[in-house]
Amino acid sequence: MNRRLTVIGVLLIAFLVVPLSSQSASIKPTGKLTILYSNLGNESLDCVKWNTGQSEAIVMSLGEPLVNFYWKGPALDFKPAIASSWKISPDLKTWEFTIRKGINFHDGTPLTVQDVVFTWNRVLKSPLSIAVSAKNIIKSVEALNDKTVLFQLNTPDPFFLYKASTYAIQPKAYTEKVGEEEFSKKPIYAGPWKFVKQLQGDFVEMEAFEGHYRKVPYYKTLILKIIPEDSTKLAMLKTGEADIIFNVMPGPLVNEIRNDSNLRLISVPSSNETYLFMTSLVKPDKVSPFRDKRVRQALSLAIDRKLIVEKLYNGLGSPSFMAAIMPYSPMMHPSLTPIRYDIKKAKTLLSEAGYPNGFETELFLTNTEKAEGEAIASMWNKIGVKAKITLMEMGAMLAAVREKTLPDGLRLSHHSCTPAGMWYFFRKGGHYTVIYDDKLEELTNKMATIPEGPKMYEFIKNEMSRYVYDLVPSIPLVIQQYSRGVRKNIETSEWEKIGTRSIFWVPAAEYLRPKK
Amino acid sequence: MGKKLLEVRDLKTHLFTRRGVIKAVDGVSFSVDKNETLGLVGESGCGKTITCLSILKLLPNPVGQIVGGKIIFDNVDLLSKSEKEMRKIRGRRISMILQDPMTSLDPLFTIGEQIAEPIRSHQNLERTNLRKKIIEMLKLVKISAPEARIKEYPFQMSGGMRQRIVGAIALSCQPDLLIADEPTTALDVTIQAQFMRLLKEIQQEFNMAMIMITHDFGIVAKVCDRVAVMYSGKIVESAGVRDLFNHPLHPYTKALMGALPKMEEDMEKLTTIDGQPPDLGHLPPGCNFAARCPEVKEICRCDSPILSEINDGHVVSCLRVQ
Amino acid sequence: MQRYILKRIFLAFVTIYLVTTLVFFLARITGDPMDLIMSAESTQKDWDMMRHQLGLDKPIYLQYTDFIAGVFIGNFGNSLRWDKPCLSLILVHLPATLQLTICALLFSWVFGISIGTLSAMRPNGLMDRFGKIFAMLGQSMPIFWVGILLILTFAVRWQIFPTSGRGGLLNLVLPSITLGWYTMASMTRMTRSSMLDVLDMEFIKMTRIKGLSEVLVICKHAFKNAMIPILTLGSLQVGILLGGSVITETIFSWPGMGRLMVQSVFSRDFPLIQACVIITSTIFITINLLVDITYGYIDPRIRYQ
């Protein structure tokens, strides 16, 4: 009798304790979260040495930049981070960031303006690609006082916030103490996750930083793991060895995840557009059929984008119809409509341009773009345009594009449909320029006098979008949709609400929590 | 001479090949007394070797099967023995010397080791005694400097030496019966004689019975006490060696002897036996030798002869003689 | 024997040197790593600075002599991609590859040799038929497919083994089978034919006549004689597995040398390509050397040459 009472007592206590402890668990991070990537770029832990979007996933989980930006549909959303606020001079050449008080690095030391200046001066010295776009325009970075950092630019830049969001701030004292080499092995930052260990080519392990000012993660451990093979990713997700496949590429994986009752496919919007640019449009003296606007319009009309989205993207995307401008966004004029697949009209336009029987051209692709390129080439066949497919190795392609040595033809590429994108694509002489067009350049320069925001969007909508639509500076194809494969035991509502952090690769895992 | 050591009765060994059943040994009977040497004579492929492998139950598996008969060795039927029991008999009580000394030694082991193996598996000898025994065996087969030879490998020796090593291996446990399967065919003539003399000496010393498989009547004359002539899986004639040489009865025996070069008769050419031995898979009715027999009669082509004793100890299977 | 070993060791060093030189120049045929490192917006100054940092601004013969001098003291330079010393990257990845290779070889040798031997003992018997089918499957199924099939069956459906990654012993099972099956097939066939040849020899009959047990006949005499072709194949398989485990390592996300090597080639990471090739070929050549020496121990005819 006595023993039975004890048992009941224990059970009662357990009942009382469980809800309490689970409540405290929401404060204390628990459990492990494993996120799978196909690759993590150069896997650098050094905030100025990461080189591709994927490697940003590591540095931006460990570190915190001046400004965070989130992509939420048609426009960017900049959120104060280490900088609590910022001021822009009217000429867009001086940017003042006020540094938030009370932010600590992982080792507990407070973050100061000196750390910001130190980090940015490292950026200015770095020859690495990712630093280039920022440092080419920055004249100086200095501390105005103990809470303000001043950035002086060479040229006006309405998109500087975007650049300010690319570098996590690193501790000056610690870096100088241990040296850059040691820092890149055992880094300390101010982000929501602390570095634990890394195996190059395999994984990075992190731990929740419980002193984070913005968001203390729900999970104790975060593992970013490199799994190049899709089938392996799926198997790990199915067995629960992994929780998220960060980027589900169009392919058989999509339906496998859709059909599994334990998994969900969460699609996140992106601004990434697949498009075709014509190599000769940036060489004003070169004779090319593409110089005629009607040819470009015809080629654009002859592409069945719906079919491409359906067959090659597994529905993970939508037809794009404007070069560098997001469809259905505040930047698009309401009179503009999607491009209708229309072979007859395309043929008429070609005849008007003097090519009734079409012409021959070349399509430059890397191996991964082969299927898409072949689909397009076969569609163009119907209007008499014979596109020969030339496959190139990635490095060779990058060099040829950079040095503009590709012969007359088309190249498949991806870019971001943002005003910053337009700034790169429509001004002459730039490295990403797709066309030399006087009026377009003038409009773009005018746009860039307005700081990024609703006013700029209004300008693009009213002054630029119809012109770009008609000009076809590049042939728009598909706005990609990024998808995550997620196990159902992960609560994602907060994560989905915040949007996609940075350039789509940062996991923002601090917003993910285990489902109760 | 004494008691029968081995008696083979109506032994039937068939080879079950893909092309059909070959009656390699088809009702063979013979016996060997203690201390006696039996010659088993016949052309290649007549079943001599299969007969001897049947005695040791070492037929190619699963092709060769003993399908009938009895093999009584020292009053026990070997066919009723298990593989494990047979292993105790092989090497210790019945041993065998193979035809080709170049291939019957393992190239990767020292000859000392190869002689030691049978002794080790049949007798309990400690290291030093084992070594002594090996050296003793090497001396027995007249290998010079045996202490040094122990560590040598077969490839370092000549053919004659190798065959003597094989002999040493076969004799290492003092078997009661030694089967020698054409032991000298691969050796040159002077060595042949040496080796035969050696075997004979050892036989005397060990009180051992021997079955000498050969197709050489010269050897038969020198070493054998009795001879059995085999033809296409059957014994066609069997007699004491003197008896057989003086009065060969079976036409096949006569033909074989005719094929032997004789010093006294200055012959231009050796006699040969026309034709080929019959296909053991498809035996014609009647006497197996009928097709090649110079003295063939009508009856030989339909009736099979049976072995019957003509004189004391002289048996023959020929319709013409009976 | 000593001369034999010395000669082999000398030849091994010559081979390693030739491989080292060859890989230095071959790596440079893949193209300029700067194309992959630099951005389109980089200025000439950035290019020069980066080139200098990476030591790519020196003339090629100086790069070569620097490299050879480095190799002698075990300094392979820094990886261009990971910005870490190549040797430390390799030392992190090599144990994983060795572990997988050894397990795969064990699997392939234990099964290959035993199935091959049993098959040879009874040609056309049950084991022989089973072995033939097993071997044929191993040789005809692509490694890639086998790996995924094993994962789907044993990791996803039955959840007996983890799908991928390196960890405990359980993690080793599926990748070892995937990697070892293919080599096991050729090992089975080689053992079978080699054993069949040996079992047909007169000296095997002789060992039986001696009254030796079947275990001694097969394992001591037949096996030792069949060993040389098996050993030759085995040492070649080490090479295949060391270099050819890329697919298996990818499917099972095994953090080994294979993946490291492929990634280094794709990113034109000269120092790392060089280091990987030199280390793997040194291992391979060392194993071949050991096998050559083992031949001598097995076969007195080679030893006394």
Side-chain angles (χ1 to χ4, degrees), chain A residues 199-269:
Chain A
L199 177 59
Q200 272 85 9
D202 196 23
F203 71 93
V204 185
E205 187 180 324
M206 308 176 194
E207 197 186 83
F209 174 41
E210 289 173 40
H212 195 252
Y213 78 97
R214 171 168 53 88
K215 184 84 193 169
V216 174
Y218 297 99
Y219 284 97
K220 175 84 179 153
T221 307
L222 171 65
I223 290 170
L224 305 185
K225 196 160 168 50
I226 302 169
I227 306 288
E229 178 48 44
D230 270 357
S231 330
T232 315
K233 281 191 200 132
L234 181 68
M236 290 180 74
L237 200 64
K238 278 180 181 253
T239 57
E241 284 166 74
D243 303 292
I244 294 176
I245 299 176
F246 197 72
N247 197 23
V248 179
M249 296 298 281
L253 206 54
V254 174
N255 287 330
E256 287 278 356
I257 294 174
R258 280 181 182 145
N259 294 339
D260 192 313
S261 60
N262 286 319
L263 311 177
R264 277 188 306 157
L265 194 72
I266 298 178
S267 287
V268 294

Side-chain angles (χ1 to χ4, degrees), chain C residues 238-304:
Chain C
V238 175
I240 294 171
L241 293 194
L242 273 180
S245 51
V246 181
I247 299 170
T248 315
E249 285 182 5
T250 306
I251 301 169
F252 290 95
S253 83
W254 194 263
M257 290 280 288
R259 257 170 79 190
L260 191 72
M261 235 186 292
V262 167
Q263 284 169 324
S264 69
V265 171
F266 277 126
S267 41
R268 297 180 183 168
D269 194 338
F270 297 161
L272 192 55
I273 299 173
Q274 287 158 188
C276 286
V277 173
I278 292 170
I279 300 275
T280 35
S281 54
T282 305
I283 295 173
F284 182 56
I285 289 166
T286 312
I287 285 167
N288 266 286
L289 178 70
L290 290 178
V291 167
D292 276 351
I293 293 171
T294 319
Y295 285 165
Y297 278 103
I298 292 177
D299 196 332
R301 287 166 294 189
I302 297 176
R303 200 182 324 154
Y304 287 97

Side-chain angles (χ1 to χ4, degrees), chain A residues 64-66 81-84 97-121 141-151 167-174 176 188-190:
Chain A
E64 193 80 0
L66 282 175
I82 283 178
S84 55
F97 293 90
T98 308
I99 304 306
R100 195 188 294 267
K101 279 272 168 278
I103 294 183
N104 288 338
F105 286 113
H106 296 155
D107 62 352
T109 53
L111 186 151
T112 69
V113 282
Q114 289 312 319
D115 297 312
V116 179
V117 173
F118 174 78
T119 306
W120 277 88
N121 276 321
V141 183
E142 58 202 342
L144 212 55
N145 49 46
D146 66 347
K147 57 175 189 181
T148 318
V149 179
L150 188 71
F151 285 76
Y167 294 98
I169 302 304
Q170 70 184 115
K172 179 176 185 235
Y174 175 74
E176 282 177 343
I188 285 175
Y189 287 108

